[in-house]
Amino acid sequence: MKILIISPGKAHDDTVKDGINEYEKRLSAWPIEWVHPKAGDKNTEGAAILKLTKDGDFAVLLDEHGRDMDTPAFAALIDKQLQTGTKRLVFIIGGAFGVSESVKERANTTIRLSSLVFPHMLVRLILAEQLYRAHSILSGGKYHHA
């Protein structure tokens, strides 16, 4: 399964680049592609996001209004997509002003990483770490101790 992460705005800045790269190296079993459409208003970003998704994708919107999910449930969500043969799992990180209604409608599920609100760059790092943690859980690794 391939993973596409769509995060409007500039590429990773130095505050998170090394951390993201480290988790991507550890996560070589699940190739990750990052796409950064140009930042703009919700509708412009939304149109760019929708152009990047395909019909068979399972899209997970990360948004502060999404449902809470703990790490084992996040791993289970990914496992279900692995088991059902999803070819590409797409994570969409909401822009600074949220996402358009069309993106919300396209998403198969909407989750939030925390009740706290984080800057875009930090969400990218947290998502990369949680993907690695989910992989560790699903493969019986020792990274996740719960």
Side-chain angles (χ1 to χ4, degrees):
M1 180 173 66
K2 293 181 181 178
I3 295 175
L4 172 66
I5 301 173
I6 303 172
S7 180
K10 63 182 180 176
H12 310 315
D13 65 25
D14 291 339
T15 60
V16 299
K17 190 184 303 184
D18 290 343
I20 290 171
N21 289 341
E22 179 60 30
Y23 288 117
E24 284 181 333
K25 279 192 289 186
R26 295 181 190 184
L27 195 57
S28 60
W30 295 346
I32 297 175
E33 177 186 359
W34 294 84
V35 180
H36 308 289
K38 185 178 178 181
D41 64 67
K42 288 195 294 190
N43 293 323
T44 302
E45 286 180 1
I49 289 168
L50 293 175
K51 284 182 183 178
L52 294 166
T53 62
K54 299 176 183 174
D55 286 341
D57 292 344
F58 187 88
V60 178
L61 174 60
L62 302 180
D63 183 82
E64 65 183 280
H65 302 292
R67 67 184 168 106
D68 285 321
M69 180 175 283
D70 64 14
T71 301
F74 183 69
L77 172 81
I78 293 171
D79 189 44
K80 182 176 181 183
Q81 298 316 305
L82 286 166
Q83 300 306 318
T84 58
T86 297
K87 292 193 181 353
R88 195 166 75 154
L89 182 58
V90 177
F91 290 92
I92 302 165
I93 299 173
F97 302 104
V99 294
S100 66
E101 287 302 315
S102 58
V103 171
K104 290 177 184 177
E105 291 169 9
R106 170 58 183 93
N108 296 92
T109 191
T110 303
I111 64 172
R112 65 178 175 185
L113 294 176
S114 171
S115 295
L116 302 171
V117 177
F118 298 111
H120 239 51
M121 292 295 166
L122 192 52
V123 169
R124 293 177 186 179
L125 178 59
I126 293 168
L127 178 58
E129 189 277 339
Q130 285 298 297
L131 287 167
Y132 176 69
R133 189 174 294 269
H135 181 268
S136 179
I137 289 169
L138 296 175
S139 64
K142 296 180 181 179
Y143 183 73
H144 185 75
H145 302 292

